[in-house]
Amino acid sequence: MQLTDYLYDLDTLLVHAGEPRPPMGGAVILPVFQSATFAYPDPCTTDAALRYIRLNNTPNHEVLHAKLAALEKAEAALVTASGMAAIAAVLLTVLGTGDRMMVQEGLYGGTHGLVHQDLKRLGIEADVVCNDDPADWRRRLQPTTRAFYVETITNPTMRVADLEAVAAFSREHGLVSIIDNTFASPVNFRPVEHGFDLSLHSATKYLNGHSDIVAGAVMGRADLVDRVRQRLDHLGAALDPHACFLLHRGLKTLGVRVRQQNRGAEAVARFLAAHPAVTRVNYPGLESHPDHHRARRLFEGYGGMLSFEIDGGVAAAEAFLSRLRLPVVAPSLGGVESLVTRPAATSHAGMSPAARRAMGVSESLVRLSVGIEAPRDLIADLDQALAGR
Ligand code: PLP
């Protein structure tokens, strides 16, 4: 199937886009090419494209590149050894010593560390800007600002920045617009359609969906993806072919998984919002969420991630977690099984309580990644865990 076959629905592209036709050796499922290197097609002309795992161009990589590009209607795509490898390769491609970038408040912790520690050591500065105030962005813009970096939905309060304004502002000022689209997945939001230059994923999460590999992805403008690919070749952060195979298999069910997760999370959010022991629910699908109208306009679904506060502080939140029977208390998200954490003790433990409070992360905030379990079973489990407070 050609990349230009964008007339197909996302669910069809998930299954068929990028697949070799006719199938290689007749294999309906592309096998794992567990070979570090590949023979030159002609022994006398070694300038033909060299296939080598680190260069991200084995058949297992290429099918993923074509499929991922089709899913987000991007010109090109690239898989990487992890989500952080994708983010690092992109930022090290777009920015150099003396450059600045604008970043949104409340970035994922790993990205925050990369930007404010590692890139800073290389002489790359970041200006933290608010989510939806172009006047603020204009004030902070400097001649050396090169990129604008946001996340589709922030963790763990699920805020949604004015994403279209970010893309438009970046275009107007010649900045590369970059978005981490992990939380939404291409089922719910396709950044390129809204003007972003590059979309990044921790493919560890929804794209793979089975919590059994770490992987990353970059989709977007072909010229930029090509430069990122060259940088990645030097950084050596290629995805292993077996992980490619698992990501390829996981991707085919992305549509059915994410739509079930959208349904489950919305049902759970509405149940929690009506529960007397819950003081606050952060879910962009709820009318009470501060960015609900924006999310409704931009997204095809509100996603599987939500967070909520339990009356009674840390002790109540910890007791609740220990009574849960279905969600596993573990980091990460986006898998078929529900996962739950208390961000103040896990992802945001490195921040001061005051800094956490400023970003809406109380000690008793619980984050839930809703899996594909039957929503009524999840709700019954949450209900019994809340009732035992
Ligand atoms: N981006 C987001 C939004 C994440 O939640 C994570 C990991 O939790 C990452 C990036 C990093 O991805 P990985 O763990 O695959 O390197």
Side-chain angles (χ1 to χ4, degrees):
M1 185 182 279
Q2 298 301 306
L3 281 184
T4 46
D5 290 344
Y6 288 151
L7 292 178
Y8 289 106
D9 242 46
L10 185 87
D11 289 292
T12 310
L13 292 172
L14 283 165
V15 176
H16 293 289
E19 301 292 333
R21 292 286 184 268
M24 286 188 194
V28 173
I29 300 302
L30 186 72
V32 185
F33 283 78
Q34 197 67 57
S35 180
T37 189
F38 290 70
Y40 289 117
D42 174 351
C44 302
T45 47
T46 51
D47 58 354
L50 164 69
R51 281 189 193 261
Y52 184 64
I53 291 174
R54 182 171 49 74
L55 303 181
N56 301 287
N57 59 3
T58 76
N60 295 108
H61 292 90
E62 286 179 347
V63 68
L64 281 171
H65 296 163
K67 197 181 291 290
L68 288 166
L71 299 183
E72 290 205 355
K73 297 186 170 41
E75 289 173 359
L78 181 64
V79 288
T80 62
S82 67
M84 283 310 302
I87 296 166
V90 161
L91 294 180
L92 288 170
T93 299
V94 169
L95 300 159
T97 301
D99 289 342
R100 308 186 76 86
M101 66 190 294
M102 291 200 185
V103 299
Q104 166 190 37
E105 296 160 334
L107 290 181
Y108 163 66
T111 310
H112 183 274
L114 174 73
V115 166
H116 295 287
Q117 294 162 26
D118 304 296
L119 295 187
K120 193 174 169 62
R121 274 200 318 128
L122 298 177
I124 298 165
E125 296 289 336
D127 296 298
V128 181
V129 296
C130 72
N131 283 353
D132 42 19
D133 184 2
D136 173 52
W137 308 341
R138 216 162 284 122
R139 272 194 303 276
R140 312 290 293 278
L141 191 68
Q142 298 194 26
T144 51
T145 308
R146 305 271 177 254
F148 201 146
Y149 188 102
V150 292
E151 293 173 358
T152 314
I153 303 173
T154 64
N155 175 34
T157 51
M158 315 301 152
R159 297 302 304 263
V160 181
D162 193 343
L163 302 176
E164 285 176 318
V166 168
F169 180 89
S170 300
R171 221 173 14 256
E172 184 187 341
H173 297 284
L175 313 182
V176 178
S177 51
I178 308 165
I179 185 165
D180 180 334
N181 197 35
T182 301
F183 272 37
S185 92
V187 179
N188 291 332
F189 186 67
R190 290 173 295 280
V192 170
E193 288 179 347
H194 297 269
F196 278 89
D197 294 313
L198 289 174
S199 164
L200 312 177
H201 286 264
S202 168
T204 312
K205 313 298 190 313
Y206 290 100
L207 295 184
N208 178 58
H210 293 74
S211 307
D212 50 10
I213 57 165
V214 288
V218 180
M219 291 89 123
R221 265 171 47 194
D223 60 324
L224 288 171
V225 172
D226 195 48
R227 285 173 53 208
V228 175
R229 186 195 319 269
Q230 291 167 30
R231 185 53 44 100
L232 195 72
D233 289 351
H234 296 165
L235 294 174
L239 191 62
D240 174 79
H242 187 249
C244 287
F245 173 85
L246 290 173
L247 175 57
H248 185 181
R249 180 165 73 169
L251 267 174
K252 292 178 186 172
T253 56
L254 181 73
V256 287
R257 283 188 284 106
V258 169
R259 280 192 293 275
Q260 169 75 358
Q261 285 164 312
N262 288 343
R263 268 194 299 279
E266 183 157 355
V268 165
R270 292 198 185 282
F271 160 77
L272 291 170
H275 198 287
V278 174
T279 55
R280 179 172 152 199
V281 181
N282 300 310
Y283 185 65
L286 292 182
E287 295 72 14
S288 56
H289 189 279
D291 304 320
H292 173 67
H293 288 288
R294 188 174 293 153
R296 195 167 69 187
R297 186 164 48 78
L298 294 176
F299 300 163
E300 286 177 30
Y302 299 109
M305 297 298 299
L306 58 97
S307 62
F308 56 101
E309 275 170 32
I310 296 178
D311 195 17
V314 180
E318 285 182 341
F320 166 80
L321 292 182
S322 62
R323 275 192 295 270
L324 285 171
R325 294 176 189 140
L326 291 178
V328 182
V329 184
S332 200
L333 59 113
V336 292
E337 64 292 306
S338 293
L339 297 177
V340 65
T341 58
R342 188 166 69 82
T346 54
S347 53
H348 293 65
M351 297 172 76
S352 70
R356 278 199 296 265
R357 261 196 309 281
M359 62 181 293
V361 181
S362 75
E363 301 303 299
S364 65
L365 189 77
V366 171
R367 188 190 81 170
L368 180 62
S369 165
V370 175
I372 62 167
E373 301 94 336
R376 54 180 278 183
D377 289 336
L378 277 179
I379 288 171
D381 190 31
L382 294 166
D383 198 25
Q384 68 77 24
L386 286 167
R389 279 179 329 127

